[in-house]
Amino acid sequence: MKNIKIAIDGPAAAGKSTVAQLVAKQLNFVYIDTGAMYRAVTVYCLWNDIDCRDEQKVASVLDNINITLYPDHSISLNDRDVTKEIRSTIVNENVSYIAANKEVRYFLVKQQRKIAENVSVVMDGRDIGTYVLPNADVKIFQIASVDTRAKRRYLENIQKGIPCSLESITKELEKRDYIDSHRELAPLKKADDAISLDTSNMTIEEVVNAIMDIIYRKVGNVHA
Ligand code: DC
């Protein structure tokens, strides 16, 4: 059977990764969290006191960066587990600068396309349907209101014991939405052939079911 590519794009904290992981599990496909890769590059720069806004300096260290994504969804950076570290506040605050860097995007997109070459994947990010996998078999554009996303992220943090305020999360999401959709390179944008899914009033289970329905309608029973 041919390898199937499923692209899930959308703004920060729209629940893409939770849903994409569950869809990948149901289909027995490989799940690729491309945001985690941009986050790992950010961690490398922070480790090495590199200003994430210094495009040339960041570009000059890319050859030293080795990112591995594991089937249990953990991630390592130069053989160190950074699964938790990539979600820290300081990484949230800096990752948009890294994601706007042309050389970083070239470096990571090449790896993302390579991973998707030989396996069926569910890949989530911002530019998967528009740029990384323009020929993806199914493209979903997953959105939710900023209030819904902020509330979800707030509850998630509280559950994990991470201190935060709803107001600051809302502000941070608005800022990231703005940077992600206004940058010159690969801005967050719905692909013309993507299906929009507004999950503001849906549970995770409902979103997964809706996406599974879209997949079955588009490509039939593709369980690997
Ligand atoms: O989905 P996330 O919050 O983990 O993404 C982290 C950052 O990386 C965010 O600022 C958007 C950016 N990103 C991107 O530009 N392209 C992708 N394919 C995935 C993420």
Side-chain angles (χ1 to χ4, degrees):
M1 192 171 67
K2 118 178 172 53
N3 290 323
I4 302 289
K5 321 275 175 236
I6 297 173
I8 304 185
D9 290 302
K16 298 183 302 292
S17 60
T18 309
V19 164
Q21 276 176 37
L22 291 166
V23 169
K25 195 170 170 202
Q26 283 202 27
L27 294 171
N28 203 19
F29 285 11
V30 172
Y31 164 63
I32 311 289
D33 177 354
T34 59
M37 299 170 83
Y38 289 93
R39 287 171 178 273
V41 173
T42 310
V43 169
Y44 181 88
C45 293
L46 295 170
W47 280 353
N48 291 284
D49 283 329
I50 295 166
D51 181 347
C52 293
R53 285 166 295 190
D54 185 339
E55 294 202 356
Q56 282 183 356
K57 181 72 194 163
V58 172
S60 75
V61 298
L62 292 173
D63 283 345
N64 306 331
I65 298 180
N66 184 12
I67 298 168
T68 313
L69 300 171
Y70 294 95
D72 67 354
H73 308 144
S74 61
I75 175 167
S76 74
L77 166 61
N78 296 352
D79 294 326
R80 265 171 73 179
D81 187 311
V82 289
T83 313
K84 280 212 179 105
E85 199 169 348
I86 59 167
R87 307 286 161 199
S88 65
T89 305
I90 183 140
V91 172
N92 287 342
E93 286 167 357
N94 283 281
V95 66
S96 291
Y97 303 119
I98 294 294
N101 184 315
K102 186 168 145 208
E103 296 297 327
V104 173
R105 298 204 76 85
Y106 180 74
F107 173 74
L108 292 181
V109 168
K110 208 161 70 176
Q111 296 179 30
Q112 291 156 9
R113 287 184 176 150
K114 182 130 192 67
I115 301 171
E117 245 169 36
N118 300 314
V119 287
S120 290
V121 290
V122 179
M123 192 176 281
D124 87 44
R126 302 293 188 287
D127 59 342
I128 311 306
T130 52
Y131 184 67
V132 181
L133 304 174
N135 297 321
D137 302 270
V138 179
K139 298 181 186 179
I140 309 282
F141 196 68
Q142 188 171 326
I143 52 176
S145 69
V146 74
D147 286 343
T148 305
R149 288 184 283 133
K151 266 183 220 144
R152 285 180 188 161
R153 179 56 51 90
Y154 173 76
L155 291 174
E156 218 176 88
N157 284 356
I158 296 295
Q159 262 174 11
K160 287 183 192 156
I162 303 171
C164 60
S165 81
L166 187 57
E167 200 191 344
S168 65
I169 291 180
T170 308
K171 282 211 179 101
E172 186 213 302
L173 283 179
E174 282 170 343
K175 185 173 162 207
R176 280 175 62 200
D177 282 356
Y178 185 87
I179 300 178
D180 285 347
S181 28
H182 287 81
R183 68 176 178 227
E184 234 173 87
L185 274 167
L188 170 65
K189 190 169 145 275
K190 178 184 162 303
D192 292 338
D193 52 350
I195 296 173
S196 269
L197 195 60
D198 186 338
T199 69
S200 300
N201 298 308
M202 292 169 86
T203 63
I204 290 168
E205 197 188 355
E206 285 169 340
V207 181
V208 171
N209 289 341
I211 293 179
M212 291 300 290
D213 272 357
I214 294 168
I215 295 170
Y216 285 128
R217 264 188 281 129
K218 283 225 141 194
V219 286
N221 189 347
V222 288
H223 191 282

